[in-house]
């Protein structure tokens, strides 16, 4: 009892002393930057260690931070590939970096550590003596140098980027498809000193419910040194309009029961500010350790008061439901070949994404540098980080399992205090032995004190979709086995290796009612749609001058040359715009289906930006530099991708004028604002802006999520000619609005077959003779007879990359995708006088394109252009015709590769048929190109 009393008295006296003098003591930790000039030697023959290069001085110099590709070191690339952007310079193996460093006299007796923010496998020597090594990829390598004396020393680092040293599979931590397997050192490079008695680690676990931070502090030094020590904690909000400084707290370590780990609750008080996407309030926390000599150590860090957790089948942030509108981040940085390490650059990228309604980033099979987390903290972005893993688990592969576990611990140690870091996945599309990730999840969750949400992998075990037993959330492309109706799908598009019909947007009749309610019904955890989108656009070759860094667009140049050789080089810009506008519509439906699903957790786009690898998958509405392609503005994109959207639910886009247009309106509201009682206005307008019908509806109780508002009923009998209309909805007193196209056609259009037009199914002798005699012939070629000379009908633009999945489908003996990217036409053609259209494939074309077999017209003259051209993919470059015309002899021929005569029950197909017949009967039907019988027989 006397000893306890003495200890407490000593603690009180120490507290008084430190209160008076403590803050005047010099801060223990100091840094010396090592950025700048370094000696350099390549070691392609792996002889440096044997020859003891660490004992010699290097004469060649480079500047760190940086990479060999930036310095034009290594092997010059002379064999371009279309698989990805091309490195001008590449290198695999060991390279050596050397610098003379000066240890200040004031550092005498201090422990000194070397910090390398990002690099590959390293071995470090000081004055020729090996002092440490590391293979850490996902966080800074920290290597203790011990107690080198003041003065000059020689620091030598060997960096080895040999892939076999890292058990990562196809991870974007090394992948040549995006980040590249660079050699060098990037980010912060410095020496730091500290006392033997110090703050080895400070972990912060926020508890928004209790308005406190729980700090777990690991102390260095001997236990006896801690008995008389005290810790002071201070915190103040620094990025908010409303100031808040929490009360300073002192803690006597003599009262702690463990030798090295101290757990302290730091209350913020009733005025505490919370962190979320809307108000990302950050506290700067300063932890100071005092011993008998004064300040022993001090650490300053950022933290945010938030509780992010599952709430039923969705997520909540500080007890408010949120919906994750995610972007896939695959480390696409063509100028450098590696991710930025500057906070400002990540802020710029996040702000661009937020303009498009994004509030979450999923880092695909890698974890970004510290700056990405710092920027996300400031901008209010929810981060899902991943282990550098894209491979199969194997319980017998101890190297891989240990490597990934150590990476996981390092990620949690380095970035675990960031409030933006809310989710961790063990990697991308993992498979194999499920006991391995189950065990790893348990171990990492325990190691991290359950500070965030975990999943065994992103779209893991997708051949047999199911969440892991320890999953807090589930990122998946479907929740059950493949079915023809896609009832288990939680995204709209697929490769044919995953879905025989390329997904529900390509196989199910176009509508705006479909959502994923049935798919998620059996599950009780949040489900996130995995990599939704993946709709390829034709390249925009005007972006080529933007590639001024280490990665060059040789793949894009090759694709451009192929198109020129195919005689369609002049159409590149039109192909880009037409495929892009179709992709915009597809991405919209993907996002609407996800947002419109009650109880859905969120989605992760692949992608808002291009992925210039894996065969070149240009799937973005922004390019590789996160620059707009000019296809849609952020303001319009946010009409359907935001925390507040209005949705119009329709059974179809195409209507007949003897029907009544019917639709339902629903509000999707995940914002903090309560919209109960607000008015939604709707109107139907034609392209001239004339209002044909209007109304207003009241929002009932706003319970957050998907809220039914009411319905629209509008008779179409007054519309006597084919027309495109727009259904517009707007929320009273706000800027929130949306619009949906619908097409209306006359229901009793006469399709008179007998007025001088020959309808044929094949180019037989009878048809040829009719043409020679001057007949007008409309040819609907029989699909079976021209199967080898045509491609399949596909509405969506090609999923990801045709060549990649064609090869995979062949191996799996699955159907191959048609490989097309939509249509290109000219709305001003007389062919469309009675079928108003855009120059691209809009929803009215769905059944027409799906039931087509576009004909290969490569044998026709290079200058020949179909009336409706189907855009082929970048690897095949066929000239494809859906509707085309020519003259032969005295006759005139119009060929349509969709059997419109068999689709008379479809309003759009019937109307196009009518417009074609009217065109053929008119004087404007005068085909310019004349073809011989031999030319026609070659293509047909």
């Amino acid at each position: 009892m006397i000893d306890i009393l003495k200890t407490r008295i000593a603690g009180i006296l120490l507290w008084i002393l430190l209160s008076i003098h403590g803050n005047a003591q010099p801060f223990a930790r100091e840094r010396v930057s090592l950025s700048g000039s370094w000696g350099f030697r390549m070691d392609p023959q792996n002889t440096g260690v044997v020859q003891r290069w660490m004992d010699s001085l290097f004469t060649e110099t480079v500047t760190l931070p940086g990479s060999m590709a930036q310095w034009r070191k290594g092997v010059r690339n002379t064999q371009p590939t279309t698989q990805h952007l091309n490195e001008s310079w590449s290198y695999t193996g060991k390279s050596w970096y050397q610098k003379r460093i000066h240890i200040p006299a004031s550092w005498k007796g201090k422990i000194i550590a070397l910090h390398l923010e990002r690099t590959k496998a390293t071995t470090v020597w000081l004055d020729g003596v090996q002092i440490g090594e590391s293979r850490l990829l996902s966080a800074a390598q920290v290597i203790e140098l011990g107690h080198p004396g003041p003065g000059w020393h020689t620091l030598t680092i060997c960096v080895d980027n040999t892939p076999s040293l890292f058990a990562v599979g196809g991870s974007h931590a090394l992948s040549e498809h995006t980040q590249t397997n660079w050699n060098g050192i990037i980010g912060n490079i410095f020496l730091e000193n500290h006392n033997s008695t110090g703050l080895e680690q400070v972990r912060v676990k926020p508890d928004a419910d209790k308005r406190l931070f729980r700090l777990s502090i690991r102390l260095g030094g001997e236990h006896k040194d801690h008995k008389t020590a005290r810790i002071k904690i201070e915190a103040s909000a620094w990025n908010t309009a409303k100031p808040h400084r929490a009360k300073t707290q002192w803690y006597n370590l003599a009262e702690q029961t463990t030798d090295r780990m101290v757990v302290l609750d730091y209350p913020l008080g009733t005025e505490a500010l919370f962190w979320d996407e809307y108000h990302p309030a950050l506290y700067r926390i300063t932890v100071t350790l005092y011993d008998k000599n004064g300040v022993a150590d001090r650490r300053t860090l950022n933290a945010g008061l938030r509780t992010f957790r599952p709430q039923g089948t969705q997520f909540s942030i500080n007890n408010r439901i949120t919906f994750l509108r995610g972007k896939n981040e695959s480390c696409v940085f063509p100028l450098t070949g590696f991710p930025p390490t500057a906070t400002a650059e990540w802020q710029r990228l996040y702000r661009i994404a937020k303009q498009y309604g994004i509030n979450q980033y999923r880092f695909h099979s890698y974890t970004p540098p510290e700056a990405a987390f710092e920027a996300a903290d400031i901008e209010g972005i929810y981060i899902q980080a991943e282990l550098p893993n894209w491979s199969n688990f194997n319980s017998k592969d101890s190297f891989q399992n240990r490597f990934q576990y150590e990476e996981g611990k390092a990620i949690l140690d380095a970035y675990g205090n960031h409030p933006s870091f809310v989710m961790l996945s063990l990697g991308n599309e993992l498979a194999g032995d499920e006991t391995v990730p189950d065990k790893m999840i348990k171990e990492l969750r325990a190691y991290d004190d359950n500070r965030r949400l975990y999943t065994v992998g992103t779209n893991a075990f997708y051949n047999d979709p199911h969440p892991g037993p320890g999953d807090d959330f589930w990122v998946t492309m479907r929740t059950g086995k493949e079915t023809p109706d896609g009832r288990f799908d939680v995204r709209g598009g697929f490769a044919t290796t995953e879905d025989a019909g390329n997904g529900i947007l390509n196989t199910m009749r176009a509508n705006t009612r479909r959502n994923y309610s049935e798919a998620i019904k059996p599950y009780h955890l949040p489900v996130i749609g995995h990599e939704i989108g993946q709709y390829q656009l034709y390249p925009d070759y005007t972006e080529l001058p933007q590639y001024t860094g280490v990665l060059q667009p040789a793949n894009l140049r090759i694709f451009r040359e192929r198109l020129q050789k195919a005689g369609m080089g002049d159409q590149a810009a039109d192909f880009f715009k037409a495929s892009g506008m179709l992709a915009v519509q597809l991405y919209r439906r993907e996002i609407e289906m996800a947002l419109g699903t009650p109880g859905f957790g969120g989605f992760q786009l692949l992608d808002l930006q291009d992925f210039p690898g894996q065969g070149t998958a240009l799937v973005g509405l922004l390019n590789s530099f996160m620059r707009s392609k000019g296809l849609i503005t952020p303001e319009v994109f946010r009409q359907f991708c935001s925390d507040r959207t209005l949705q119009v639910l329709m059974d179809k886009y195409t209507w007949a004028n003897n029907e009544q247009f019917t639709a339902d309106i629903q509000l999707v509201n995940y914002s903090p604002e309560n919209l109960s009682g607000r008015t939604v206005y709707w109107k139907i307008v034609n392209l001239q802006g004339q209002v044909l019908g209007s109304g207003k509806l009241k929002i009932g109780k706003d319970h957050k999520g998907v809220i039914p508002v009411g319905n629209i009923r509008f008779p179409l009998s007054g519309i006597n000619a084919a027309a495109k209309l727009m259904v517009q909805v707007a929320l009273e007193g706000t800027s929130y609005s949306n619009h949906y196209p619908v097409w209306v056609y006359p229901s009793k259009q006469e399709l008179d077959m007998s007025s001088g037009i020959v309808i044929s199914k094949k180019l037989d002798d009878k048809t040829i003779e009719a043409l020679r005699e001057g007949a007008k012939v409309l040819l609907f070629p029989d699909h079976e007879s021209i199967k080898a000379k045509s491609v399949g009908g596909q509405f969506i633009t090609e999923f990801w990359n045709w060549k990649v999945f064609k090869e995979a489908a062949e191996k799996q003996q699955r159907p191959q995708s048609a490989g097309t990217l939509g249509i290109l036409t000219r709305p001003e053609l007389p062919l469309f006088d009675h079928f108003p259209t855009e120059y691209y494939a809009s929803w009215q074309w769905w059944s027409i394109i799906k039931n087509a077999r576009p004909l290969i017209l490569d044998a026709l003259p290079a200058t020949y252009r179909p009336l409706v051209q189907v855009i082929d993919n970048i690897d095949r470059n066929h000239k494809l015709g859906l509707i085309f015309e020519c003259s032969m002899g005295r006759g005139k021929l119009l060929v349509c590769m969709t059997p419109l005569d068999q689709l008379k029950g479809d309003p759009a197909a019937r109307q196009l048929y009518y417009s074609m017949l009217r065109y053929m009967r008119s004087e404007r039907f005068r085909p310019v190109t004349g073809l011989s019988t031999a030319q026609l027989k070659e293509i047909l």
Side-chain angles (χ1 to χ4, degrees):
M1 185 68 182
I2 294 175
D3 289 340
I4 294 175
L5 183 61
K6 286 180 178 179
T7 300
R8 289 184 175 174
I9 292 172
I12 293 170
L13 292 174
L14 179 62
W15 176 80
I16 294 172
L17 179 66
L18 296 179
S19 297
I20 298 172
H21 301 291
N23 288 332
Q25 298 297 319
F27 172 49
R29 290 180 184 262
E30 297 174 320
R31 290 181 178 180
V32 172
S33 173
L34 299 183
S35 298
S37 180
W38 284 67
F40 173 76
R41 288 186 74 175
M42 289 190 294
D43 189 6
Q45 304 303 319
N46 192 22
T47 59
V49 174
V50 175
Q51 296 176 4
R52 292 199 58 80
W53 287 8
M54 69 289 293
D55 294 333
S56 61
L57 295 179
F58 301 171
T59 56
E60 187 176 1
T61 61
V62 295
T63 300
L64 288 175
S67 73
M68 288 179 60
Q70 291 179 307
W71 310 318
R72 298 176 180 269
K73 305 288 186 181
V75 180
R76 185 69 182 265
N77 180 17
T78 58
Q79 296 182 325
T81 177
T82 60
Q83 286 298 301
H84 44 74
L85 293 174
N86 287 234
E87 293 180 85
S88 299
W89 296 84
S90 61
Y91 182 82
T92 301
K94 292 179 178 177
S95 285
W96 294 61
Y97 305 84
Q98 188 181 79
K99 192 175 184 69
R100 293 281 288 166
I101 61 173
H102 185 264
I103 306 297
S106 60
W107 286 24
K108 184 177 181 180
K110 304 282 188 180
I111 298 173
I112 300 174
L114 170 67
H115 290 248
L116 309 174
E117 182 168 358
R118 279 290 165 102
T119 183
K120 303 299 169 61
T122 61
T123 306
V124 179
W125 293 264
L126 188 66
D127 298 327
V129 177
Q130 182 175 332
I131 56 165
E133 59 184 9
S134 175
R135 292 188 184 183
L136 189 59
L137 289 175
S138 303
Q141 296 182 8
V142 181
I143 297 174
E144 297 281 353
L145 303 185
H147 298 80
W152 290 97
H153 300 269
T154 300
L155 178 66
T156 306
I157 304 173
C158 177
V159 177
D160 192 345
N161 66 338
T162 302
S164 61
L165 297 174
F166 315 99
V168 299
S171 161
H172 291 325
L174 297 180
S175 171
E176 61 186 355
H177 291 274
T178 58
Q179 181 169 178
T180 76
N181 183 23
W182 50 270
N183 188 304
I185 306 171
I186 66 171
N188 292 316
I189 310 169
F190 60 88
L191 300 176
E192 183 178 69
N193 71 0
H194 62 87
N195 292 325
S196 57
T197 300
L199 302 166
E200 285 191 3
Q201 184 186 66
V202 178
R203 284 189 177 181
V204 178
K205 183 177 182 179
D207 188 331
D209 297 331
K210 296 180 180 178
R211 288 180 166 81
L212 62 80
F213 291 128
R214 172 160 290 180
L215 278 66
S216 299
I217 302 171
R218 189 169 69 234
L219 302 171
E222 297 294 331
H223 175 53
K224 59 183 174 58
D225 297 329
H226 304 156
K227 287 296 184 181
T228 58
R230 289 177 67 82
I231 285 178
K232 180 175 73 171
I233 302 179
E234 305 163 277
S236 59
W238 62 267
N239 68 331
T240 58
K242 179 182 178 182
H244 180 241
R245 184 179 184 87
K247 183 180 178 181
T248 299
Q249 300 286 339
W250 287 84
Y251 302 86
N252 187 347
L253 297 193
E255 299 173 359
Q256 304 302 317
T257 57
T258 58
D259 289 353
R260 298 191 63 195
M261 184 61 69
V262 180
V263 179
L264 307 172
D265 283 347
Y266 180 68
L268 296 176
T270 57
E271 299 299 314
L273 304 177
F274 297 93
W275 186 96
D276 65 13
E277 63 190 277
Y278 302 100
H279 304 289
L282 293 172
Y283 282 89
R284 183 167 286 119
I285 302 175
T286 301
V287 181
T288 307
L289 174 67
Y290 293 90
D291 63 12
K292 61 184 178 181
N293 298 315
V295 176
D297 203 356
R298 177 179 291 133
R299 286 187 180 270
T300 300
L301 53 94
N302 281 327
L305 186 60
R306 61 104 177 104
T307 300
F308 186 88
R309 58 193 169 201
Q311 187 164 325
T313 61
Q314 295 189 288
F315 299 96
S316 71
I317 177 76
N318 305 329
N319 297 317
R320 180 182 52 77
I321 295 292
T322 190
F323 187 98
L324 299 185
R325 304 178 302 279
K327 177 204 177 305
N328 203 72
E329 210 296 307
S330 298
C331 206
V332 177
F333 299 100
L335 298 182
T336 60
F338 53 72
T341 56
T343 303
E345 176 59 14
W346 280 104
Q347 283 185 261
R348 184 185 71 84
L349 296 172
Y350 290 148
R351 287 173 181 174
I352 293 171
K354 288 176 71 174
Q355 289 176 3
Y356 290 85
I358 298 300
N359 68 352
Q360 193 235 359
Y361 259 57
R362 174 247 172 157
F363 288 88
H364 183 303
S365 65
Y366 91 108
T367 292
E370 178 86 16
F373 292 92
E374 291 175 346
D377 292 345
I378 296 168
E379 299 298 331
I381 293 289
Y382 306 120
I383 283 182
Q384 175 185 317
E386 291 187 1
L387 271 58
N389 192 11
W390 190 352
S391 58
N392 291 342
F393 288 112
N394 184 341
S395 59
K396 297 180 180 179
D397 191 343
S398 58
F399 171 63
Q400 180 197 41
N401 298 336
R402 175 52 53 184
F403 179 88
Q404 291 295 335
Y405 179 61
E406 293 300 325
E407 289 286 315
K409 290 199 301 180
I411 290 168
L412 297 170
D413 285 343
Y415 316 118
N417 290 334
H418 290 280
S420 57
F421 184 9
V422 296
M423 307 158 85
L424 180 67
S425 164
L426 299 190
N428 179 68
E429 295 183 347
L430 309 173
D433 186 346
E434 295 194 40
T435 63
V436 177
D438 291 345
K439 179 174 182 289
M440 196 175 295
I441 281 288
K442 292 176 183 177
E443 292 174 344
L444 290 176
R445 180 183 276 115
Y447 179 80
D448 190 42
D449 191 23
N450 208 23
R451 287 193 291 172
R452 66 208 78 252
L453 306 184
Y454 290 83
T455 183
V456 296
T458 307
N459 202 35
F461 307 105
Y462 58 84
N463 286 325
D464 179 20
H466 60 277
D471 279 1
D472 295 311
F473 62 99
W474 185 22
V475 186
T476 182
M477 63 185 185
R478 57 166 55 103
T479 62
K481 294 286 190 177
E482 174 192 351
T483 60
D485 61 358
R487 64 179 173 275
F488 300 121
D489 297 352
V490 288
R491 73 182 190 203
F494 287 86
T496 56
T497 56
E498 303 159 341
D499 184 289
N502 285 110
I504 57 179
L505 289 188
N506 195 57
T507 57
M508 312 301 287
R509 187 174 180 84
N511 68 85
T512 64
R513 289 196 183 274
R514 179 69 184 251
N515 65 28
Y516 305 132
S517 294
E518 185 176 355
I520 67 171
K521 188 184 298 182
Y523 298 96
H524 304 286
L525 80 170
V527 176
I528 298 174
H530 170 67
E531 294 183 356
I532 75 167
Q534 305 191 50
Y535 299 112
Q536 188 173 80
L537 288 71
Y538 204 82
D540 177 11
Y541 295 124
T542 64
E543 75 177 43
L544 292 179
Q546 298 178 32
Y547 291 87
T548 59
V550 302
L551 294 176
Q552 289 298 305
N555 52 343
L556 301 183
R557 293 192 180 102
I558 291 171
F559 296 138
R560 183 173 61 177
E561 291 169 4
R562 288 177 179 175
L563 188 69
Q564 290 167 347
K565 288 179 181 178
M568 295 178 286
D570 61 313
Q571 293 186 285
D574 291 333
F575 286 173
F576 155 66
K577 292 175 184 176
S579 63
M581 292 307 295
L582 173 56
V584 166
Q585 298 171 91
L586 297 169
Y587 274 106
R588 172 176 175 156
R589 279 304 302 139
E590 286 272 11
I591 292 168
E592 287 178 335
M593 285 190 292
L595 273 169
T597 302
F600 201 48
F603 62 79
Q604 292 169 349
L605 282 175
L606 186 56
D607 193 359
L608 193 59
Q609 72 182 111
D610 280 339
F611 185 100
Q614 289 184 6
T616 306
L618 306 180
V619 297
L621 302 180
L622 310 184
N623 68 16
S624 295
F625 303 93
M626 285 286 281
R627 294 169 183 155
S628 172
K629 295 182 179 181
L631 299 167
I632 186 171
T633 66
E635 293 77 17
V636 174
F637 196 90
R638 286 200 307 273
Q639 288 183 349
F640 55 84
C641 182
S642 179
D643 59 356
R644 281 162 282 200
T645 67
L646 288 166
Q647 296 185 343
V648 176
L649 308 183
M650 306 179 291
D651 294 324
K652 55 188 178 180
Y653 288 92
T654 57
W655 301 76
N657 67 353
N658 63 346
E659 295 180 286
Q660 178 172 249
F661 174 76
T662 59
D664 297 309
I665 297 176
Q666 64 184 19
L667 168 70
V668 180
N669 184 22
Y670 289 102
S671 76
E673 185 179 4
N674 190 307
L675 300 175
S676 298
R678 294 284 188 92
T679 299
V680 174
Y681 295 93
W682 66 265
K683 59 183 177 180
I684 297 175
V685 301
N686 59 23
L687 295 186
Q688 291 72 45
Q690 179 184 4
V691 177
L692 307 180
S694 63
K696 59 183 181 180
L697 299 163
K698 282 281 187 183
I699 298 171
K701 184 178 180 181
D702 183 349
H703 49 72
K704 298 304 173 189
V706 181
I707 305 161
V709 175
N711 54 65
I712 300 173
R713 298 290 184 269
F714 177 71
L716 301 173
S717 55
I719 301 169
N720 298 315
K724 178 183 178 181
L725 307 179
M726 201 65 69
V727 183
Q728 299 176 348
V729 288
L731 182 60
E732 171 196 17
T734 73
S735 60
Y736 294 97
S737 63
N738 210 344
H739 63 279
Y740 289 75
V742 295
W743 290 265
V744 182
Y745 310 106
S747 61
K748 295 183 179 180
Q749 207 70 272
E750 292 296 329
L751 297 176
D752 185 2
M753 309 297 184
S754 60
S755 55
I757 296 176
V758 176
I759 310 295
S760 180
K761 297 292 184 186
K762 61 178 66 174
L763 190 69
D764 54 14
D765 292 342
K766 183 178 179 181
T767 302
I768 291 171
E769 184 60 29
L771 285 166
R772 286 175 177 164
E773 293 178 357
K776 295 179 179 180
V777 175
L778 175 55
L779 182 63
F780 293 116
D782 174 68
H783 283 181
E784 278 302 313
S785 67
I786 49 88
K787 198 167 187 177
K789 298 180 179 182
S790 61
V791 301
Q794 174 176 295
F795 180 76
I796 65 169
T797 65
E798 181 57 20
F799 182 89
W800 194 245
N801 177 275
W802 174 75
K803 187 176 181 181
V804 166
F805 285 107
K806 172 182 178 292
E807 295 169 355
E810 288 172 343
K811 290 179 182 178
Q812 297 178 19
Q813 297 184 325
R814 297 269 297 185
Q816 295 177 23
S817 171
T820 54
L821 307 178
I823 65 169
L824 171 66
T825 191
R826 288 174 289 155
E828 71 276 10
L829 291 173
L831 173 69
F832 301 120
D833 282 352
H834 301 277
F835 186 80
T837 185
E838 295 79 15
Y839 62 89
Y840 53 87
S842 54
W843 292 111
Q844 68 168 339
W845 284 90
W846 190 90
S847 62
I848 300 167
I849 295 173
K850 273 291 295 176
N851 287 283
R853 279 206 68 87
L855 195 66
I856 298 171
L857 305 179
D858 297 350
L860 297 186
T863 57
Y864 183 80
R865 298 290 182 261
L867 300 177
V868 178
Q869 185 170 356
V870 174
I871 304 167
D872 203 8
N873 64 73
I874 52 180
D875 286 293
R876 196 168 54 190
N877 293 294
H878 285 319
K879 182 188 298 181
L880 297 171
L882 194 151
I883 302 175
F884 59 97
E885 65 181 10
C886 67
S887 62
M888 198 199 85
R890 294 187 297 118
K892 301 171 186 177
L893 175 66
L894 185 68
V895 182
C896 179
M897 301 309 299
T898 301
L900 299 177
D901 56 337
Q902 300 175 27
L903 301 175
K904 295 175 185 177
D906 181 274
R910 179 183 176 87
Q911 186 65 31
L912 179 58
Y913 194 8
Y914 172 77
S915 192
M916 286 169 53
L917 292 173
R918 288 288 298 266
Y919 167 58
M920 292 183 71
R921 294 188 189 113
S922 74
E923 290 299 317
R924 302 177 72 184
F925 181 39
R926 295 192 298 269
V928 174
T929 302
L931 298 178
S932 67
T933 302
Q935 286 177 305
L936 283 173
K937 285 188 173 181
E938 185 176 359
I939 62 171
L940 287 166

